[in-house]
């Protein structure tokens, strides 16, 4: 016996359309069919004013277009499933994309949100190079309002939310840019011994003193007991085990781990303590984090331990995060493809040391700014989550024919 057919109206509907009847069910090929974009070899690009839309967005311009907006484009290969909406004007859909050839008298922006709600990345095929399969997309059955007015209302609602999200994202970017600029002023530049911007009470504090990080701390590499599965444990008394993938790259502090290891792992790993700093020795190398817990660390980490009383951990965190230090790491890192840091490179990092009171003032200032950035990031994430939840209620779930 077949199950009860799913409802064909959304769970959330604007009041003026609650008596508007059920949404009509159609295949996407009959709603907004997709067509492969057009090849445009790089050497044929003529930089004029017509945007060329690739799978990850507009990258170049050409002197003529192949389509006219409004238009909906999604990545066929490369950045798969990412949606781009062209409000108006000519554009060139590149052959890394699929683009909507006709909206069939539907509201274009509504179709954009419909495709967003469906999630086109689910229609990927290919064992080698993944590709968005338009035949799979076309076989998807979706429900749409019969009335264009309802389509427009949904499009307007979600567009307004997108505008708010974009504004909050701009605020976050502005805060990050402000922090970057402030750090460039608060720390001396290469070859200088005082910063360009100094708090009033320290303007007569004299020059900062440069010392190698190795003279201010002990630099050690983490260790990974192998096979790691033999050392993992669910025991509450197990030791914290920190892997590279456990850390949010935007975080400052590390205060928890996803896994624990047995006490016997101590022979083959390294323990770090609250106040120590760690950084990855490859990939996003040189990005520091401050430990708030005691933990064993993977061999992909390098730790700055036993930090001298001359320097504060939080201050040292910002010194290492500064543009000057990051450029030092980039220039000194070994390796032709994937660059790597080692303990010797980190030991030689030049660190400018000021009075501890000044260190604290700088750390407090930048920490306050980090708090604002984190709050703004949380606000942005909340808006994105709200939009996701709203879309789940504004659109009935799609079905694939034959499923």
């Amino acid at each position: 016996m077949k199950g009860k057919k799913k409802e064909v109206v959304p769970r959330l509907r604007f009041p003026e359309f609650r008596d508007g009847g059920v949404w009509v069910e159609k295949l996407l090929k009959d709603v907004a069919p997709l067509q492969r974009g057009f090849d445009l070899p790089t050497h044929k690009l003529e930089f004029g004013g017509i945007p060329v839309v690739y799978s990850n967005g507009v990258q170049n311009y050409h002197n003529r277009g192949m389509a006219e907006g409004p238009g909906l484009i999604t990545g066929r290969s490369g950045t798969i499933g990412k949606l781009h909406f062209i409000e108006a004007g000519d554009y060139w859909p590149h052959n890394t994309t699929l683009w909507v050839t006709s909206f069939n008298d539907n509201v274009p922006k509504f179709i954009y949100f419909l495709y967003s709600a469906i999630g086109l990345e689910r229609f990927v095929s290919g064992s080698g190079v993944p590709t968005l399969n338009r035949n799979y997309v076309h076989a998807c059955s979706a429900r749409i309002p019969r009335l264009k007015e309802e389509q427009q209302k949904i499009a307007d609602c979600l567009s307004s939310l997108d505008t708010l999200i974009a504004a909050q994202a701009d605020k976050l970017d502005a805060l990050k840019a402000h922090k970057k600029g402030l750090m460039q002023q608060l720390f001396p530049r290469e070859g200088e011994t005082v910063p360009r911007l100094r708090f009033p009470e320290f303007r007569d504090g004299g020059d900062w003193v440069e010392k190698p990080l190795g003279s201010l701390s002990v630099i050690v590499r983490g260790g990974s007991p192998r096979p790691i599965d033999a050392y993992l444990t669910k025991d509450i008394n197990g030791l914290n085990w920190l892997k590279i993938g456990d850390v949010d790259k935007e975080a400052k502090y590390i205060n928890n781990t996803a896994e624990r290891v047995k006490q016997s792992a101590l022979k083959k790993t390294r323990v770090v303590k609250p106040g120590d700093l760690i950084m990855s020795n490859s990939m996003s190398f040189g990005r520091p984090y401050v430990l708030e817990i005691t933990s064993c660390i993977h061999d992909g980490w390098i730790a700055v331990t036993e930090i001298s009383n001359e320097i504060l951990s939080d201050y040292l965190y910002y010194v290492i995060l500064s543009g000057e230090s990051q450029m030092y790491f980039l220039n000194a890192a070994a390796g032709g493809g994937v660059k790597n840091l080692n303990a010797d490179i980190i030991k030689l990092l030049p660190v400018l040391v000021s009075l501890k009171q000044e260190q604290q003032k700088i750390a407090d200032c930048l920490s306050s700014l980090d708090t604002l950035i984190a709050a703004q990031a949380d606000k942005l994430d909340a808006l994105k989550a709200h939009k996701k939840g709203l879309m789940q209620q504004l659109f009935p779930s799609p079905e694939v024919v034959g499923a």
Side-chain angles (χ1 to χ4, degrees):
M1 180 178 177
K2 291 185 178 180
K4 184 180 178 182
K5 188 174 179 63
K6 293 181 180 178
E7 62 179 13
V8 289
V9 293
R11 283 172 287 175
L12 180 63
R13 205 166 185 185
F14 293 100
E16 61 267 41
F17 301 109
R18 286 174 185 162
D19 296 325
V22 298
W23 286 22
V24 62
E25 186 173 9
K26 292 184 178 182
L27 294 178
L28 286 177
K29 70 176 182 179
D30 298 322
V31 175
L34 295 169
Q35 172 179 304
R36 182 169 173 170
F38 303 96
D39 189 24
L40 185 61
T42 302
H43 70 274
K44 289 188 177 181
L45 281 171
E46 301 174 18
F47 294 90
I50 306 300
V52 178
V53 186
Y54 296 76
S55 64
N56 59 345
V58 175
Q59 293 183 6
N60 297 107
Y61 290 85
H62 189 45
N63 66 343
R64 66 189 181 93
M66 289 294 291
E68 183 179 358
L72 175 58
I73 303 178
T74 185
R76 177 184 66 85
S77 60
T79 307
I80 295 176
K82 184 176 181 179
L83 290 162
H84 312 280
F85 187 78
I86 308 296
E87 290 283 357
D90 293 338
Y91 63 96
W92 185 296
H94 192 260
N95 68 349
T96 58
T97 68
L98 295 172
W99 62 290
V100 172
T101 57
S102 171
F103 292 98
N104 290 320
D105 202 36
N106 293 297
V107 175
K109 200 62 177 288
F110 170 81
I111 300 301
Y112 164 78
F113 288 116
L114 174 67
Y115 272 123
S116 297
I118 290 170
L120 296 182
E121 61 278 359
R122 58 193 279 210
F123 300 110
V124 169
S125 66
S127 56
V129 179
T131 304
L132 179 60
N133 191 316
R134 64 173 171 168
N135 291 330
Y136 293 172
V137 177
H138 287 168
C140 181
S141 174
R143 287 113 179 182
I144 62 174
R146 298 175 185 274
L147 298 174
K148 289 185 69 174
E149 293 83 359
E150 187 171 7
Q151 293 185 18
Q152 189 65 60
K153 185 81 172 183
I154 293 169
D156 290 345
C157 170
L158 293 173
S159 293
S160 296
L161 192 51
D162 274 348
T163 299
L164 181 57
I165 288 172
Q168 295 300 323
D170 287 344
K171 287 183 180 180
L172 179 59
D173 289 341
L175 281 170
K176 289 180 177 179
H178 174 61
K179 176 187 172 183
K180 181 179 179 180
L182 186 60
M183 288 182 70
Q184 289 172 346
Q185 298 286 316
L186 286 175
F187 293 103
R189 300 182 184 182
E190 185 177 1
E192 299 179 354
T193 56
V194 292
R196 302 291 177 93
L197 178 64
R198 205 165 186 182
F199 294 101
E201 60 268 41
F202 302 110
R203 286 174 185 163
D204 296 325
D207 292 348
W208 292 17
V209 179
E210 181 179 303
K211 296 185 178 183
L213 181 56
S215 71
L216 296 166
S217 62
V218 175
I219 313 296
V220 294
R221 182 171 179 174
S224 297
R226 291 184 173 87
I228 186 59
D229 288 346
Y231 291 91
L232 294 176
T233 180
K234 299 290 186 181
D235 190 333
I236 192 67
N237 295 316
L239 307 170
N240 290 322
W241 171 239
L242 185 68
K243 306 186 302 297
I244 299 293
D246 291 340
V247 177
D248 178 359
K249 67 177 183 179
E250 297 295 328
K252 175 181 177 182
Y253 297 105
I254 296 174
N255 48 37
N256 63 79
T257 64
E259 296 176 331
R260 293 186 178 90
V261 290
K262 300 173 183 176
Q263 294 283 339
S264 57
L266 283 173
K267 299 176 182 178
K268 299 183 179 183
T269 186
R270 181 81 64 176
V271 176
V272 289
K273 300 177 181 180
D276 290 346
L277 306 182
I278 61 170
M279 62 188 84
S280 170
N281 63 13
S282 62
M283 302 305 288
S284 298
F285 62 83
R287 204 308 187 173
Y289 303 90
V290 183
L291 267 295
E292 288 190 324
I293 56 172
T294 298
S295 180
C296 301
I297 55 173
H298 183 274
D299 60 9
W301 292 112
I302 292 180
V304 182
T305 67
E306 299 182 35
I307 297 171
S308 166
N309 288 332
E310 293 181 61
I311 194 164
L312 301 173
S313 289
D314 272 4
Y315 170 79
L316 183 56
Y317 164 82
Y318 288 112
V319 170
I320 295 174
L321 192 63
S322 70
E324 293 289 343
S325 296
Q326 293 298 304
M327 185 58 66
Y328 164 80
F329 289 143
L330 184 62
N331 292 334
V338 178
K339 292 184 176 295
N340 293 277
L341 288 178
N342 58 49
D344 290 335
I345 291 173
I346 295 175
K347 287 177 184 178
L348 295 176
L349 173 71
V351 175
L352 284 160
V353 182
S354 63
L355 297 172
K356 288 187 75 173
Q357 296 92 327
E358 189 170 11
Q359 294 178 31
Q360 188 67 64
K361 188 82 172 182
I362 292 170
D364 289 346
C365 171
L366 294 173
S367 292
S368 296
L369 194 49
D370 276 341
T371 300
L372 286 177
I373 290 171
Q376 184 62 32
D378 288 344
K379 185 183 295 185
L380 182 59
D381 288 342
L383 279 171
K384 289 179 178 178
H386 172 62
K387 178 188 173 184
K388 182 179 179 180
L390 184 60
M391 290 182 69
Q392 289 172 344
Q393 297 189 73
L394 286 174
F395 292 93
S397 299
E399 295 178 357
V400 176
V401 172

